Amino acid sequence: MIDSLMQRLGVAPEQYRNGDIAVATPIDGSEIGRVRTATAQEIDTAIANAQRAFEAWRQVPAPRRGELVRLFGDQLRRHKEDLGALVTWECGKILQEGLGEVQEMIDICDLAVGQSRQLYGLTIASERPGHHMRESWHPLGPIGLITAFNFPVAPWAWNAALALVCGDSLLWKPSEKSPLTALACQALLERAMAEFGDDAPQYLSQVIIGERAAGEQLTDDARIPLISATGSTRMGREVGPRVAARFGRSILELGGNNAMILTPSADLDMAVRAILFSAVGTAGQRCTTLRRLVVHHSIKEEVVTRLKQAYAGISIGDPLEGNLIGPLIDRQAFDTMQAVLTQAREQGANVFGGQRQLAEQYPEGYYVAPAIVEVEGQSDLVRHETFAPILYVIGYEALDEAIALNNDVPQGLSSCIFTTDVREAETFVSAVGSDCGIANVNIGPSGAEIGGAFGGEKETGGGRESGSDVWKSYMRRQTNTVNYSRELPLAQGIKFD
Ligand code: UN1
Protein backbone atom coordinates (compact mmCIF):
# COMPACT_ATOMS: atom_id res chain seq x y z
CA MET A 1 0.00 0.00 0.00
CA ILE A 2 2.69 2.48 1.08
CA ASP A 3 4.84 1.48 -1.89
CA SER A 4 2.12 2.17 -4.42
CA LEU A 5 1.28 5.50 -2.75
CA MET A 6 4.92 6.52 -2.70
CA GLN A 7 5.38 5.48 -6.28
CA ARG A 8 2.43 7.56 -7.47
CA LEU A 9 3.68 10.50 -5.41
CA GLY A 10 7.09 10.17 -7.05
CA VAL A 11 9.24 9.08 -4.08
CA ALA A 12 11.96 6.56 -4.99
CA PRO A 13 12.17 3.43 -2.75
CA GLU A 14 15.78 4.15 -1.76
CA GLN A 15 14.56 7.35 -0.09
CA TYR A 16 12.33 5.61 2.41
CA ARG A 17 13.41 1.97 2.69
CA ASN A 18 16.75 2.26 4.47
CA GLY A 19 18.03 4.27 7.34
CA ASP A 20 18.41 4.62 11.07
CA ILE A 21 14.99 6.16 11.74
CA ALA A 22 12.08 3.71 11.65
CA VAL A 23 8.72 5.17 10.72
CA ALA A 24 5.72 3.38 12.19
CA THR A 25 2.09 3.85 11.30
CA PRO A 26 0.03 4.64 14.39
CA ILE A 27 -2.76 2.54 12.85
CA ASP A 28 -1.17 -0.71 14.09
CA GLY A 29 2.39 0.26 14.99
CA SER A 30 3.91 -1.55 12.03
CA GLU A 31 6.92 -0.17 10.24
CA ILE A 32 6.10 1.60 6.97
CA GLY A 33 9.49 3.05 6.15
CA ARG A 34 13.00 3.89 7.23
CA VAL A 35 14.79 7.13 6.62
CA ARG A 36 18.33 8.22 7.20
CA THR A 37 19.45 11.03 9.49
CA ALA A 38 21.40 13.67 7.60
CA THR A 39 24.94 14.22 8.87
CA ALA A 40 26.06 17.61 10.14
CA GLN A 41 28.23 17.91 7.03
CA GLU A 42 25.28 17.16 4.75
CA ILE A 43 23.17 19.76 6.50
CA ASP A 44 25.95 22.31 6.17
CA THR A 45 26.13 21.61 2.43
CA ALA A 46 22.36 21.82 2.14
CA ILE A 47 22.40 25.26 3.74
CA ALA A 48 25.12 26.45 1.36
CA ASN A 49 23.09 25.09 -1.57
CA ALA A 50 19.96 26.79 -0.28
CA GLN A 51 21.89 30.05 -0.13
CA ARG A 52 22.93 29.72 -3.78
CA ALA A 53 19.41 28.76 -4.84
CA PHE A 54 18.11 31.84 -3.05
CA GLU A 55 20.57 34.09 -4.88
CA ALA A 56 19.15 32.90 -8.20
CA TRP A 57 15.48 32.66 -7.20
CA ARG A 58 15.31 36.20 -5.83
CA GLN A 59 16.00 37.50 -9.33
CA VAL A 60 13.04 35.70 -10.89
CA PRO A 61 10.08 38.11 -11.07
CA ALA A 62 7.55 37.44 -8.32
CA PRO A 63 4.57 36.67 -10.61
CA ARG A 64 6.76 34.14 -12.38
CA ARG A 65 7.63 32.63 -9.00
CA GLY A 66 3.90 32.45 -8.45
CA GLU A 67 3.67 30.25 -11.54
CA LEU A 68 5.77 27.60 -9.78
CA VAL A 69 3.39 27.63 -6.84
CA ARG A 70 0.45 27.36 -9.26
CA LEU A 71 2.03 24.26 -10.79
CA PHE A 72 2.66 22.84 -7.33
CA GLY A 73 -1.00 23.46 -6.45
CA ASP A 74 -1.93 21.53 -9.62
CA GLN A 75 0.21 18.61 -8.48
CA LEU A 76 -1.53 18.67 -5.11
CA ARG A 77 -4.95 18.68 -6.77
CA ARG A 78 -3.94 15.72 -8.91
CA HIS A 79 -2.53 13.79 -5.95
CA LYS A 80 -4.89 14.90 -3.20
CA GLU A 81 -6.20 11.38 -2.54
CA ASP A 82 -2.74 9.80 -2.42
CA LEU A 83 -1.16 12.46 -0.23
CA GLY A 84 -4.23 12.55 2.02
CA ALA A 85 -4.02 8.78 2.46
CA LEU A 86 -0.30 8.98 3.20
CA VAL A 87 -1.01 11.59 5.90
CA THR A 88 -3.50 9.13 7.39
CA TRP A 89 -1.00 6.25 7.26
CA GLU A 90 1.76 8.26 8.80
CA CYS A 91 0.02 10.30 11.50
CA GLY A 92 -3.20 8.36 12.02
CA LYS A 93 -5.72 11.14 11.46
CA ILE A 94 -8.89 10.00 9.69
CA LEU A 95 -8.90 10.12 5.89
CA GLN A 96 -11.41 13.01 5.78
CA GLU A 97 -8.97 15.07 7.83
CA GLY A 98 -5.99 13.86 5.80
CA LEU A 99 -7.77 15.09 2.68
CA GLY A 100 -8.69 18.29 4.49
CA GLU A 101 -5.06 18.90 5.27
CA VAL A 102 -4.10 18.56 1.61
CA GLN A 103 -6.97 20.90 0.72
CA GLU A 104 -5.41 23.46 3.09
CA MET A 105 -2.21 23.15 1.06
CA ILE A 106 -4.11 23.72 -2.19
CA ASP A 107 -5.86 26.73 -0.67
CA ILE A 108 -2.63 28.37 0.47
CA CYS A 109 -1.12 27.78 -2.98
CA ASP A 110 -4.06 29.62 -4.54
CA LEU A 111 -3.61 32.47 -2.09
CA ALA A 112 0.14 32.62 -2.71
CA VAL A 113 -0.30 32.68 -6.50
CA GLY A 114 -2.49 35.78 -6.22
CA GLN A 115 -0.14 37.27 -3.64
CA SER A 116 2.76 36.92 -6.06
CA ARG A 117 1.26 39.88 -7.96
CA GLN A 118 0.60 41.83 -4.77
CA LEU A 119 3.96 42.08 -2.98
CA TYR A 120 3.43 45.75 -2.50
CA GLY A 121 4.92 48.50 -0.36
CA LEU A 122 3.87 52.01 0.59
CA THR A 123 4.77 55.38 -0.80
CA ILE A 124 5.36 57.84 2.00
CA ALA A 125 5.35 61.65 1.93
CA SER A 126 8.80 63.16 2.49
CA GLU A 127 9.26 66.37 4.50
CA ARG A 128 11.92 67.48 2.00
CA PRO A 129 11.16 69.13 -1.38
CA GLY A 130 12.09 67.03 -4.41
CA HIS A 131 12.23 63.81 -2.38
CA HIS A 132 10.02 60.81 -2.08
CA MET A 133 10.00 57.87 0.27
CA ARG A 134 8.80 54.38 -0.21
CA GLU A 135 8.92 50.99 1.35
CA SER A 136 10.22 48.03 -0.67
CA TRP A 137 9.89 44.35 0.17
CA HIS A 138 12.76 42.13 -0.90
CA PRO A 139 13.31 38.38 -0.71
CA LEU A 140 14.73 37.34 2.67
CA GLY A 141 16.93 34.26 2.23
CA PRO A 142 16.80 30.53 2.90
CA ILE A 143 13.96 29.79 5.29
CA GLY A 144 14.21 27.00 7.88
CA LEU A 145 10.94 25.16 8.49
CA ILE A 146 10.41 22.83 11.43
CA THR A 147 7.09 21.00 11.51
CA ALA A 148 5.21 18.62 13.79
CA PHE A 149 3.73 15.15 13.32
CA ASN A 150 0.10 16.12 13.86
CA PHE A 151 -0.15 18.37 10.81
CA PRO A 152 2.70 16.94 8.79
CA VAL A 153 2.07 18.83 5.54
CA ALA A 154 -0.24 21.87 5.79
CA PRO A 155 1.88 24.10 8.06
CA TRP A 156 4.86 23.43 5.81
CA ALA A 157 2.76 24.51 2.83
CA TRP A 158 1.54 27.69 4.58
CA ASN A 159 5.15 28.73 4.95
CA ALA A 160 6.53 27.25 1.74
CA ALA A 161 3.94 28.62 -0.70
CA LEU A 162 4.36 32.17 0.60
CA ALA A 163 8.14 31.95 1.00
CA LEU A 164 8.49 30.70 -2.58
CA VAL A 165 6.53 33.59 -4.09
CA CYS A 166 8.48 35.95 -1.84
CA GLY A 167 11.71 34.74 -3.45
CA ASP A 168 13.11 32.53 -0.69
CA SER A 169 14.54 29.02 -0.74
CA LEU A 170 13.39 26.31 1.68
CA LEU A 171 15.00 23.92 4.16
CA TRP A 172 12.42 21.68 5.79
CA LYS A 173 13.02 19.52 8.84
CA PRO A 174 9.84 17.51 9.32
CA SER A 175 9.08 15.64 12.53
CA GLU A 176 11.01 12.37 12.67
CA LYS A 177 7.57 10.80 13.18
CA SER A 178 6.34 11.97 9.79
CA PRO A 179 9.17 12.16 7.24
CA LEU A 180 7.41 10.18 4.48
CA THR A 181 4.78 12.82 3.85
CA ALA A 182 7.60 15.39 3.70
CA LEU A 183 9.43 13.35 1.06
CA ALA A 184 6.18 13.12 -0.90
CA CYS A 185 5.62 16.89 -0.79
CA GLN A 186 9.19 17.45 -1.91
CA ALA A 187 8.71 15.02 -4.80
CA LEU A 188 5.54 16.83 -5.92
CA LEU A 189 7.31 20.18 -5.70
CA GLU A 190 10.19 18.80 -7.76
CA ARG A 191 7.70 17.69 -10.41
CA ALA A 192 6.29 21.20 -10.47
CA MET A 193 9.85 22.57 -10.78
CA ALA A 194 10.57 20.27 -13.72
CA GLU A 195 7.44 21.52 -15.48
CA PHE A 196 8.27 25.12 -14.60
CA GLY A 197 11.57 25.27 -16.42
CA ASP A 198 15.19 26.26 -15.90
CA ASP A 199 14.63 29.37 -13.88
CA ALA A 200 13.71 27.27 -10.83
CA PRO A 201 17.19 26.69 -9.36
CA GLN A 202 18.32 23.34 -8.06
CA TYR A 203 18.10 23.10 -4.26
CA LEU A 204 15.26 25.62 -4.11
CA SER A 205 13.61 23.26 -1.65
CA GLN A 206 15.30 20.58 0.43
CA VAL A 207 14.16 18.18 3.12
CA ILE A 208 16.48 17.61 6.08
CA ILE A 209 15.79 14.33 7.83
CA GLY A 210 16.83 14.17 11.44
CA GLU A 211 15.93 14.56 15.05
CA ARG A 212 16.73 17.27 17.51
CA ALA A 213 20.34 17.85 16.43
CA ALA A 214 19.28 18.59 12.85
CA GLY A 215 16.77 21.16 14.08
CA GLU A 216 19.42 22.74 16.29
CA GLN A 217 21.85 23.04 13.43
CA LEU A 218 19.31 24.92 11.31
CA THR A 219 18.32 27.02 14.30
CA ASP A 220 21.90 28.09 15.00
CA ASP A 221 22.97 28.86 11.45
CA ALA A 222 23.16 32.57 10.65
CA ARG A 223 22.73 31.89 6.93
CA ILE A 224 19.07 31.18 7.69
CA PRO A 225 17.44 34.53 8.50
CA LEU A 226 14.07 33.04 9.47
CA ILE A 227 13.11 29.86 11.31
CA SER A 228 9.44 29.02 11.28
CA ALA A 229 8.69 26.30 13.82
CA THR A 230 5.47 24.49 14.67
CA GLY A 231 5.42 22.22 17.70
CA SER A 232 5.33 22.12 21.46
CA THR A 233 5.96 25.06 23.76
CA ARG A 234 8.95 23.11 25.08
CA MET A 235 10.45 23.03 21.60
CA GLY A 236 9.71 26.73 21.06
CA ARG A 237 11.36 27.65 24.33
CA GLU A 238 14.59 26.26 22.90
CA VAL A 239 14.25 27.42 19.32
CA GLY A 240 13.17 31.00 20.08
CA PRO A 241 16.17 32.07 22.22
CA ARG A 242 18.69 30.25 19.99
CA VAL A 243 17.47 32.06 16.90
CA ALA A 244 17.30 35.35 18.80
CA ALA A 245 20.86 34.87 20.08
CA ARG A 246 22.11 35.21 16.51
CA PHE A 247 19.59 37.98 15.75
CA GLY A 248 17.61 35.75 13.43
CA ARG A 249 13.85 35.94 13.20
CA SER A 250 11.43 33.24 14.17
CA ILE A 251 7.79 32.43 13.63
CA LEU A 252 6.67 30.21 16.49
CA GLU A 253 3.39 28.32 16.41
CA LEU A 254 3.33 26.37 19.65
CA GLY A 255 0.89 24.91 22.12
CA GLY A 256 -2.74 25.83 22.56
CA ASN A 257 -5.18 25.36 25.40
CA ASN A 258 -8.28 26.43 23.60
CA ALA A 259 -11.60 27.13 25.30
CA MET A 260 -15.22 27.48 24.34
CA ILE A 261 -17.51 29.66 26.41
CA LEU A 262 -20.99 28.19 26.20
CA THR A 263 -23.63 30.69 27.26
CA PRO A 264 -27.31 30.14 28.18
CA SER A 265 -28.53 31.76 24.93
CA ALA A 266 -26.42 29.47 22.70
CA ASP A 267 -27.88 27.18 20.05
CA LEU A 268 -27.04 23.96 21.90
CA ASP A 269 -27.50 21.64 18.92
CA MET A 270 -24.88 23.61 17.03
CA ALA A 271 -22.63 23.85 20.05
CA VAL A 272 -22.65 20.10 20.70
CA ARG A 273 -21.68 19.41 17.08
CA ALA A 274 -18.92 22.01 17.27
CA ILE A 275 -17.61 20.55 20.53
CA LEU A 276 -17.54 17.09 19.05
CA PHE A 277 -15.48 18.05 16.02
CA SER A 278 -13.12 20.34 17.87
CA ALA A 279 -12.59 18.20 20.99
CA VAL A 280 -12.25 14.74 19.44
CA GLY A 281 -11.26 15.51 15.82
CA THR A 282 -7.71 14.39 14.99
CA ALA A 283 -7.98 12.41 18.27
CA GLY A 284 -7.42 15.66 20.17
CA GLN A 285 -4.05 16.19 18.50
CA ARG A 286 -4.57 19.57 16.85
CA CYS A 287 -2.92 22.64 18.30
CA THR A 288 -6.40 24.15 17.98
CA THR A 289 -8.23 21.25 19.68
CA LEU A 290 -10.93 22.29 22.11
CA ARG A 291 -9.50 21.48 25.53
CA ARG A 292 -11.70 23.47 27.91
CA LEU A 293 -15.45 23.92 27.92
CA VAL A 294 -16.45 26.87 30.07
CA VAL A 295 -20.18 26.40 30.41
CA HIS A 296 -22.84 28.37 32.26
CA HIS A 297 -24.01 26.61 35.43
CA SER A 298 -27.65 26.72 34.31
CA ILE A 299 -26.99 24.48 31.28
CA LYS A 300 -23.97 22.54 32.46
CA GLU A 301 -25.73 19.35 33.43
CA GLU A 302 -27.76 19.19 30.23
CA VAL A 303 -24.71 19.85 28.07
CA VAL A 304 -22.58 17.24 29.83
CA THR A 305 -25.33 14.66 29.47
CA ARG A 306 -25.72 15.39 25.77
CA LEU A 307 -21.96 15.28 25.27
CA LYS A 308 -21.64 11.93 26.98
CA GLN A 309 -24.39 10.56 24.72
CA ALA A 310 -22.67 11.96 21.65
CA TYR A 311 -19.28 10.62 22.76
CA ALA A 312 -20.74 7.17 23.27
CA GLY A 313 -21.90 7.07 19.64
CA ILE A 314 -18.55 7.97 18.06
CA SER A 315 -16.83 5.25 16.06
CA ILE A 316 -13.21 4.68 17.02
CA GLY A 317 -10.93 2.62 14.81
CA ASP A 318 -9.00 2.37 11.58
CA PRO A 319 -8.74 5.95 10.26
CA LEU A 320 -8.87 4.69 6.66
CA GLU A 321 -12.23 2.99 7.27
CA GLY A 322 -14.66 5.84 7.88
CA ASN A 323 -14.33 6.06 11.66
CA LEU A 324 -14.38 9.45 13.38
CA ILE A 325 -11.46 8.85 15.75
CA GLY A 326 -8.21 7.22 14.79
CA PRO A 327 -5.25 6.33 17.00
CA LEU A 328 -2.97 8.52 19.06
CA ILE A 329 0.43 8.98 17.49
CA ASP A 330 2.23 6.50 19.78
CA ARG A 331 2.47 4.80 23.12
CA GLN A 332 4.06 7.79 24.78
CA ALA A 333 1.05 9.95 23.89
CA PHE A 334 -1.22 7.29 25.36
CA ASP A 335 0.83 7.00 28.56
CA THR A 336 0.82 10.76 29.02
CA MET A 337 -2.94 10.88 28.57
CA GLN A 338 -3.45 8.11 31.13
CA ALA A 339 -1.13 9.79 33.64
CA VAL A 340 -3.05 13.05 33.30
CA LEU A 341 -6.41 11.30 33.78
CA THR A 342 -5.07 9.53 36.88
CA GLN A 343 -3.90 12.83 38.32
CA ALA A 344 -7.27 14.41 37.53
CA ARG A 345 -9.07 11.61 39.42
CA GLU A 346 -6.70 12.06 42.35
CA GLN A 347 -7.58 15.74 42.39
CA GLY A 348 -11.25 14.83 42.69
CA ALA A 349 -12.32 15.41 39.09
CA ASN A 350 -15.13 13.43 37.56
CA VAL A 351 -13.66 11.51 34.60
CA PHE A 352 -15.76 10.00 31.81
CA GLY A 353 -14.12 7.89 29.07
CA GLY A 354 -10.42 7.90 28.32
CA GLN A 355 -9.93 4.12 28.24
CA ARG A 356 -7.82 2.32 25.71
CA GLN A 357 -9.80 0.77 22.85
CA LEU A 358 -9.17 -2.08 20.40
CA ALA A 359 -6.03 -3.21 22.26
CA GLU A 360 -6.55 -6.83 21.23
CA GLN A 361 -6.91 -6.02 17.57
CA TYR A 362 -4.04 -3.51 17.61
CA PRO A 363 -1.57 -4.35 20.39
CA GLU A 364 0.74 -1.63 19.05
CA GLY A 365 -1.98 0.86 18.09
CA TYR A 366 -3.10 3.31 20.77
CA TYR A 367 -6.78 4.03 20.34
CA VAL A 368 -8.65 5.76 23.14
CA ALA A 369 -12.16 6.77 24.02
CA PRO A 370 -12.18 10.56 24.25
CA ALA A 371 -12.46 11.82 27.82
CA ILE A 372 -14.70 14.40 29.49
CA VAL A 373 -13.31 15.64 32.79
CA GLU A 374 -15.48 17.79 35.05
CA VAL A 375 -13.36 20.03 37.25
CA GLU A 376 -14.07 22.75 39.80
CA GLY A 377 -11.49 25.29 38.68
CA GLN A 378 -8.35 25.51 36.60
CA SER A 379 -5.62 23.55 38.32
CA ASP A 380 -2.12 23.34 36.84
CA LEU A 381 -3.26 20.15 35.15
CA VAL A 382 -5.98 22.02 33.25
CA ARG A 383 -3.64 24.87 32.44
CA HIS A 384 -1.17 22.45 30.85
CA GLU A 385 -1.69 21.30 27.24
CA THR A 386 -2.04 17.51 27.02
CA PHE A 387 -1.96 16.43 23.37
CA ALA A 388 -4.83 13.95 23.61
CA PRO A 389 -8.65 14.01 23.52
CA ILE A 390 -9.33 15.30 27.03
CA LEU A 391 -12.05 17.91 27.40
CA TYR A 392 -12.18 19.70 30.75
CA VAL A 393 -15.58 21.08 31.71
CA ILE A 394 -15.71 24.07 34.04
CA GLY A 395 -18.83 25.93 35.20
CA TYR A 396 -19.23 29.73 35.29
CA GLU A 397 -21.81 32.24 36.47
CA ALA A 398 -20.99 35.64 34.92
CA LEU A 399 -19.48 36.37 31.49
CA ASP A 400 -16.52 38.27 33.01
CA GLU A 401 -15.65 35.18 34.98
CA ALA A 402 -15.86 33.01 31.85
CA ILE A 403 -13.58 35.38 29.91
CA ALA A 404 -11.13 35.39 32.82
CA LEU A 405 -11.08 31.57 32.74
CA ASN A 406 -10.59 31.61 28.97
CA ASN A 407 -7.54 33.83 29.42
CA ASP A 408 -6.13 32.30 32.58
CA VAL A 409 -3.84 29.77 30.87
CA PRO A 410 -0.26 30.20 29.68
CA GLN A 411 -1.22 29.56 26.03
CA GLY A 412 -3.12 31.94 23.72
CA LEU A 413 -3.91 30.24 20.43
CA SER A 414 -7.61 29.82 19.80
CA SER A 415 -10.92 30.43 21.57
CA CYS A 416 -14.62 30.75 20.89
CA ILE A 417 -17.97 31.68 22.33
CA PHE A 418 -21.36 30.21 21.56
CA THR A 419 -24.06 32.80 22.15
CA THR A 420 -26.93 34.48 20.36
CA ASP A 421 -26.51 37.60 22.49
CA VAL A 422 -24.72 40.25 20.45
CA ARG A 423 -23.37 41.96 23.57
CA GLU A 424 -21.71 38.79 24.75
CA ALA A 425 -20.33 38.01 21.30
CA GLU A 426 -18.89 41.47 20.75
CA THR A 427 -17.43 41.63 24.27
CA PHE A 428 -15.65 38.33 23.67
CA VAL A 429 -13.93 39.60 20.51
CA SER A 430 -13.21 43.07 21.96
CA ALA A 431 -10.08 44.39 23.64
CA VAL A 432 -11.35 43.16 27.02
CA GLY A 433 -12.36 39.76 25.67
CA SER A 434 -10.35 36.74 24.59
CA ASP A 435 -6.57 37.24 24.67
CA CYS A 436 -5.99 34.63 21.94
CA GLY A 437 -4.75 34.99 18.37
CA ILE A 438 -8.01 33.43 17.19
CA ALA A 439 -11.41 34.28 18.72
CA ASN A 440 -14.50 32.84 17.05
CA VAL A 441 -18.22 33.28 17.49
CA ASN A 442 -20.55 30.31 17.06
CA ILE A 443 -17.89 28.06 15.54
CA GLY A 444 -15.36 25.88 17.33
CA PRO A 445 -11.70 26.84 17.89
CA SER A 446 -10.22 24.43 15.32
CA GLY A 447 -10.40 24.16 11.57
CA ALA A 448 -9.29 27.68 10.65
CA GLU A 449 -9.36 28.76 7.00
CA ILE A 450 -6.07 29.79 5.43
CA GLY A 451 -7.22 33.35 4.58
CA GLY A 452 -6.69 34.65 8.10
CA ALA A 453 -3.45 34.97 10.04
CA PHE A 454 -2.98 31.82 12.10
CA GLY A 455 -1.17 31.78 15.43
CA GLY A 456 -1.43 32.98 18.98
CA GLU A 457 -0.11 34.89 21.94
CA LYS A 458 1.80 34.10 25.14
CA GLU A 459 3.31 30.59 25.19
CA THR A 460 1.81 29.91 21.76
CA GLY A 461 4.79 31.93 20.62
CA GLY A 462 3.36 35.06 18.96
CA GLY A 463 3.99 33.93 15.39
CA ARG A 464 1.50 34.20 12.56
CA GLU A 465 1.32 31.99 9.50
CA SER A 466 -0.93 31.61 6.48
CA GLY A 467 -3.16 34.48 5.26
CA SER A 468 -3.69 38.21 5.87
CA ASP A 469 -0.37 40.10 5.55
CA VAL A 470 1.77 37.19 6.78
CA TRP A 471 3.70 37.19 3.47
CA LYS A 472 5.67 40.12 4.87
CA SER A 473 7.37 37.76 7.34
CA TYR A 474 9.17 36.07 4.45
CA MET A 475 10.60 39.30 3.07
CA ARG A 476 12.88 42.03 4.30
CA ARG A 477 11.54 45.55 4.49
CA GLN A 478 13.58 48.36 3.06
CA THR A 479 12.86 52.05 3.43
CA ASN A 480 13.98 54.15 0.47
CA THR A 481 14.36 57.91 0.37
CA VAL A 482 15.06 59.21 -3.14
CA ASN A 483 16.18 62.76 -3.86
CA TYR A 484 15.28 63.87 -7.38
CA SER A 485 16.11 67.58 -6.76
CA ARG A 486 19.38 69.48 -7.21
CA GLU A 487 19.59 70.38 -3.51
CA LEU A 488 20.66 68.34 -0.48
CA PRO A 489 18.36 69.43 2.35
CA LEU A 490 18.79 67.49 5.61
CA ALA A 491 15.86 66.10 7.54
CA GLN A 492 14.77 67.73 10.79
CA GLY A 493 15.93 71.09 9.31
CA ILE A 494 19.58 70.48 10.31
CA LYS A 495 22.15 72.87 8.79
CA PHE A 496 25.56 71.34 8.32
CA ASP A 497 27.66 73.85 6.45
C1 UN1 B 1 -2.04 22.49 13.96
O1 UN1 B 1 -2.69 21.71 14.67
O2 UN1 B 1 -0.80 22.61 14.11
O3 UN1 B 1 -7.14 25.41 12.47
C2 UN1 B 1 -2.62 23.27 12.84
C3 UN1 B 1 -6.85 24.20 12.36
C4 UN1 B 1 -6.03 23.80 11.18
C5 UN1 B 1 -4.58 23.90 11.46
C6 UN1 B 1 -4.11 23.21 12.71
N1 UN1 B 1 -6.37 24.64 10.07
O4 UN1 B 1 -7.24 23.36 13.16
Side-chain angles (χ1 to χ4, degrees):
M1 184 64 197
I2 292 295
D3 285 334
S4 55
L5 282 179
M6 292 300 254
Q7 193 187 3
R8 286 201 294 278
L9 290 162
V11 187
E14 58 271 20
Q15 283 185 274
Y16 70 92
R17 284 223 190 116
N18 295 302
D20 53 314
I21 301 180
V23 186
T25 174
I27 296 177
D28 61 7
S30 63
E31 189 174 300
I32 54 171
R34 292 193 83 87
V35 291
R36 188 177 65 76
T37 302
T39 64
Q41 181 56 50
E42 284 169 335
I43 296 174
D44 189 63
T45 305
I47 298 171
N49 287 337
Q51 177 73 37
R52 260 193 304 282
F54 163 69
E55 282 162 13
W57 188 236
R58 67 182 172 182
Q59 298 180 53
V60 175
R64 171 86 184 128
R65 299 193 296 247
E67 172 64 6
L68 173 63
V69 174
R70 191 186 68 75
L71 291 170
F72 179 50
D74 279 355
Q75 288 292 337
L76 291 170
R77 281 188 166 84
R78 222 168 291 158
H79 295 284
K80 181 175 171 182
E81 313 290 316
D82 287 339
L83 188 55
L86 189 63
V87 167
T88 294
W89 274 101
E90 199 171 45
C91 84
K93 67 174 66 175
I94 63 169
L95 189 55
Q96 267 303 308
E97 294 189 278
L99 294 171
E101 194 174 340
V102 181
Q103 186 59 45
E104 253 187 80
M105 303 174 77
I106 295 169
D107 294 343
I108 193 71
C109 285
D110 286 355
L111 182 140
V113 174
Q115 195 74 62
S116 73
R117 291 181 183 270
Q118 286 281 300
L119 304 179
Y120 56 86
L122 302 169
T123 59
I124 301 160
S126 168
E127 66 186 51
R128 287 170 278 189
H131 286 55
H132 70 77
M133 292 174 70
R134 66 169 181 252
E135 191 167 82
S136 306
W137 291 89
H138 297 309
L140 185 61
I143 308 298
L145 302 168
I146 297 174
T147 56
F149 77 84
N150 68 318
F151 262 76
V153 291
W156 169 75
W158 304 337
N159 288 277
L162 289 175
L164 283 174
V165 302
C166 290
D168 304 330
S169 57
L170 312 171
L171 289 154
W172 178 14
K173 196 207 91 57
S175 163
E176 62 273 18
K177 293 175 185 167
S178 56
L180 303 191
T181 40
L183 293 173
C185 291
Q186 172 73 15
L188 293 179
L189 182 54
E190 280 174 10
R191 276 190 191 158
M193 284 169 67
E195 253 181 278
F196 179 75
D198 290 345
D199 45 347
Q202 205 188 357
Y203 304 118
L204 182 57
S205 168
Q206 298 170 88
V207 173
I208 308 282
I209 301 289
E211 301 188 357
R212 194 193 169 99
E216 285 177 358
Q217 195 175 339
L218 294 179
T219 300
D220 289 341
D221 198 304
R223 289 171 291 180
I224 304 175
L226 171 68
I227 296 282
S228 178
T230 306
S232 65
T233 294
R234 194 170 52 81
M235 178 274 289
R237 229 186 264 292
E238 294 187 24
V239 169
R242 289 179 90 119
V243 179
R246 62 170 173 88
F247 298 103
R249 290 193 221 154
S250 55
I251 297 176
L252 299 177
E253 205 265 281
L254 312 174
N257 196 346
N258 319 297
M260 173 190 291
I261 298 177
L262 188 48
T263 70
S265 73
D267 178 331
L268 285 191
D269 290 340
M270 248 169 66
V272 167
R273 284 173 49 213
I275 292 167
L276 222 55
F277 174 68
S278 54
V280 314
T282 328
Q285 298 172 111
R286 286 192 190 221
C287 55
T288 49
T289 290
L290 177 64
R291 306 207 178 278
R292 298 177 295 135
L293 178 63
V294 180
V295 54
H296 194 266
H297 282 129
S298 62
I299 52 171
K300 182 165 174 256
E301 212 182 294
E302 182 192 347
V303 169
V304 171
T305 306
R306 286 179 66 168
L307 280 178
K308 286 180 180 170
Q309 275 163 7
Y311 270 44
I314 290 177
S315 57
I316 303 167
D318 187 336
L320 290 160
E321 295 297 332
N323 293 299
L324 287 185
I325 306 188
L328 293 174
I329 186 69
D330 55 19
R331 186 190 176 127
Q332 197 191 340
F334 171 75
D335 288 345
T336 304
M337 177 182 181
Q338 297 308 308
V340 165
L341 292 179
T342 303
Q343 258 178 285
R345 275 191 205 95
E346 283 165 8
Q347 291 176 9
N350 187 357
V351 177
F352 168 87
Q355 307 84 352
R356 181 148 180 213
Q357 307 286 304
L358 305 168
E360 277 180 25
Q361 195 179 342
Y362 303 111
E364 300 300 328
Y366 291 88
Y367 296 77
V368 285
I372 296 172
V373 179
E374 289 177 78
V375 290
E376 286 305 324
Q378 293 194 146
S379 62
D380 283 350
L381 204 59
V382 178
R383 296 169 84 251
H384 181 81
E385 178 195 40
T386 302
F387 222 54
I390 300 175
L391 178 65
Y392 295 105
V393 179
I394 310 154
Y396 81 90
E397 198 53 49
L399 185 66
D400 286 357
E401 187 195 341
I403 291 174
L405 284 165
N406 179 79
N407 296 347
D408 183 26
V409 289
Q411 312 81 354
L413 179 55
S414 190
S415 60
C416 65
I417 189 167
F418 268 72
T419 180
T420 51
D421 178 329
V422 72
R423 290 184 183 139
E424 288 186 334
E426 290 291 338
T427 303
F428 183 70
V429 296
S430 78
V432 298
S434 167
D435 65 359
C436 296
I438 299 171
N440 296 336
V441 176
N442 292 331
I443 66 162
S446 68
E449 300 175 22
I450 56 87
F454 183 90
E457 308 298 337
K458 303 190 291 187
E459 287 189 4
T460 302
R464 293 294 186 279
E465 297 175 307
S466 214
S468 185
D469 61 354
V470 167
W471 61 271
K472 291 178 177 173
S473 308
Y474 306 94
M475 304 200 85
R476 62 185 170 89
R477 184 197 309 245
Q478 188 173 69
T479 302
N480 312 121
T481 305
V482 176
N483 177 4
Y484 58 93
S485 76
R486 291 172 195 279
E487 308 297 325
L488 194 68
L490 300 178
Q492 298 88 41
I494 291 174
K495 299 280 175 240
F496 201 73
D497 45 26

